[in-house]
Structure formats: C-alpha cells, structure tokens
Amino acid sequence: MHDTAKRALSLLDLTDLTDDCDAAAIEKLCAQAQTPFGTTAAICIWPRFVAQARGILGPGHAVKIATVVNFPSGDLAVANVLAETKQAIADGADEIDLVIPYRDFIAGHEGAVTDMVSAVKAVCTPPVILKTILETGELKDPALIREASDLAITAGADFIKTSTGKVSVNATLQAAEIMLNAIKASGKPVGFKPAGGVRTVTDAGEYLALAASILGEGWATPKTFRFGASGLLGDILSVLGGQAAPAAPASY
C-alpha cells in the first residue's frame, strides 16, 4: 500500500475546479502539491487562476500547471476554445485539458471531435501537452467510448481522460479498460487520466493494476498516466505518514 501511495502521489493532478474556488484556494493548492513525500505531477485549475499559480510556482517548477478549456459543457465554438487555450498558455499553463464536443459526438457528428482536438493540438506546441476529456459517463455506450478514444488519439491528443468530474458518472474501471485498450491498439505514446471518483489509494491501485495488465508493468509514469482528483491526496498522505485518513471531499 505504501508503494502504491508513493506512486499515486507522483501521478496526481491535484484538482480544484469547484465553483467557489478563489485566489486563496489556489495558494493553498500550490502548497498542498508540494508534500514532505514529494510533489504531485500537476495542479489542475480554472483558466482564470493560471497566471496566479505560475507566479507562485515560478517557471520550470516540478509541479506542472494544467487547466481546462471548453469546460465542462463541451459546447463552445472552436474559435472560442482556441482563444481560451492561447490565453491559458500565455498565462503559463503547461497542460491543457480539453472537453471534446461530446453532445455533438453522441448526435453522430464524429467530425466535431476531430476538428476540435486537431485545432487545439495545433496551438499546444511542445512542451505543452493536450489531454482530451471524453466525458465517458455521458457517452455510456462502450462502442462510443472506444470511438471517441480512437478519434481523439488520431487527432493528436497526448492523453485521453475519462471525465470532467461534473456529471453523475465519472471515472470507472470499465471505461478505463476501453480507453487503455484503445491506447494499446493505436501504438502511439498516448497517456490516460481517470478523473472524478478516485478518492483512495485502494482506488488508485485498481487503476494502476488495470493499466499494467493492458500496457505493461512499467507503463504508468507521469508522462503516460495521471489521476484527476481532489480528495485522493489526503488518503495518500495518510498512508505515507501512517495516520488515519481525513474525510475526502464529495466532489471530484
């Protein structure tokens, strides 16, 4: 359990996408991401706080700054999403988590996914990485989850991510299995991020075991695997510190 906790810490995108997030919460999040046991991979925050977080963490920090675009609805026009993305990168974002137009996709418009992902990828020049959020809990159908995964990968996504954390069903092992198999079939160096509902080290261990069974024991690293979570850090620290876990927050 200790080894799983240590590994999960290094793979964690410590997230605050709450509606009432403020500057004080961002300052706290940046501090929490730097623990006595090591740092999280990233923080994941609203675009309006990216400049503040960059000011706190400074350039080239071990903790990356991820932000969200077309979030959470997935309904914005490509031009608006590009404007969001460019501003976030200018403000200092290292990673862009893009919600695909999943409602259009469900309605049969596969090209909407390809157009959105490829356009945003074009402005995410290295070292900025692009994670695409499929909103698998809304897609529901395994065939749709697989098709969305394939489309995002083909269009240039660096990661495929399950969820916004803003709908009733977020990350599940079933969706994860479909997405990890899509990554394997693609043969591309694409990462995977389960988000929403991963709250304990035990939960994290289940996803890591699944990834290992499909893509190999050493596959999951910060370059290929992230957990999107707010409550997971508390359980990780309790395991690493040998203390009772605090109650995890209900969201994300």
Side-chain angles (χ1 to χ4, degrees), residues 143-209:
L144 281 182
I145 295 170
R146 177 57 188 258
E147 186 181 1
S149 300
D150 292 341
L151 288 169
I153 292 169
T154 301
D158 297 302
F159 271 72
I160 50 176
K161 173 179 170 180
T162 60
S163 321
T164 61
K166 298 290 188 180
V167 295
S168 58
V169 176
N170 294 293
T172 66
L173 289 167
Q174 291 79 9
E177 183 174 8
I178 295 165
M179 294 167 72
L180 289 163
N181 276 311
I183 291 169
K184 182 178 182 180
S186 77
K188 295 183 177 181
V190 174
F192 170 66
K193 179 177 173 179
V198 184
R199 295 195 174 95
T200 68
V201 173
T202 298
D203 292 340
E206 291 177 346
Y207 283 95
L208 290 172

Side-chain angles (χ1 to χ4, degrees), residues 8-227:
L9 176 64
S10 73
L11 303 174
L12 178 60
D13 284 3
L14 183 62
T15 300
D16 190 339
L17 295 170
T18 54
D19 293 337
D20 60 354
C21 184
D22 59 15
I26 295 301
E27 195 167 336
K28 182 179 178 182
L29 196 74
C30 290
Q32 288 176 325
Q34 304 170 78
T35 84
F37 306 102
T39 64
T40 67
I43 56 170
C44 187
I45 57 178
W46 293 105
R48 63 185 179 273
F49 297 116
V50 169
Q52 179 197 352
R54 179 53 68 207
I56 295 168
L57 295 174
H61 199 281
V63 177
K64 302 302 182 186
I65 299 173
T67 194
V68 291
V69 297
N70 204 22
F71 187 95
S73 70
D75 289 340
L76 295 180
V78 172
N80 296 76
V81 181
L82 287 176
E84 272 189 321
T85 303
K86 290 174 183 177
Q87 186 61 57
I89 294 170
D91 287 345
D94 299 296
E95 303 176 0
I96 300 295
D97 287 28
L98 162 72
V99 183
I100 67 167
Y102 64 89
R103 292 187 181 91
D104 284 348
F105 175 62
I106 291 168
H109 305 302
E110 295 90 349
V113 177
T114 301
D115 292 348
M116 180 70 76
V117 176
S118 59
V120 176
K121 175 61 177 177
V123 300
C124 291
T125 52
V128 177
I129 71 166
L130 174 62
K131 309 191 199 92
T132 53
I133 304 171
L134 307 185
E135 203 67 294
T136 53
E138 295 296 290
L139 299 182
K140 298 184 176 80
D141 182 352
L144 281 182
I145 295 170
R146 177 57 188 258
E147 186 181 1
S149 300
D150 292 341
L151 288 169
I153 292 169
T154 301
D158 297 302
F159 271 72
I160 50 176
K161 173 179 170 180
T162 60
S163 321
T164 61
K166 298 290 188 180
V167 295
S168 58
V169 176
N170 294 293
T172 66
L173 289 167
Q174 291 79 9
E177 183 174 8
I178 295 165
M179 294 167 72
L180 289 163
N181 276 311
I183 291 169
K184 182 178 182 180
S186 77
K188 295 183 177 181
V190 174
F192 170 66
K193 179 177 173 179
V198 184
R199 295 195 174 95
T200 68
V201 173
T202 298
D203 292 340
E206 291 177 346
Y207 283 95
L208 290 172
L210 179 63
S213 72
I214 294 169
L215 287 157
E217 201 60 51
W219 178 79
T221 71
K223 291 186 176 181
T224 58
F225 192 104
R226 301 288 182 84
F227 292 109

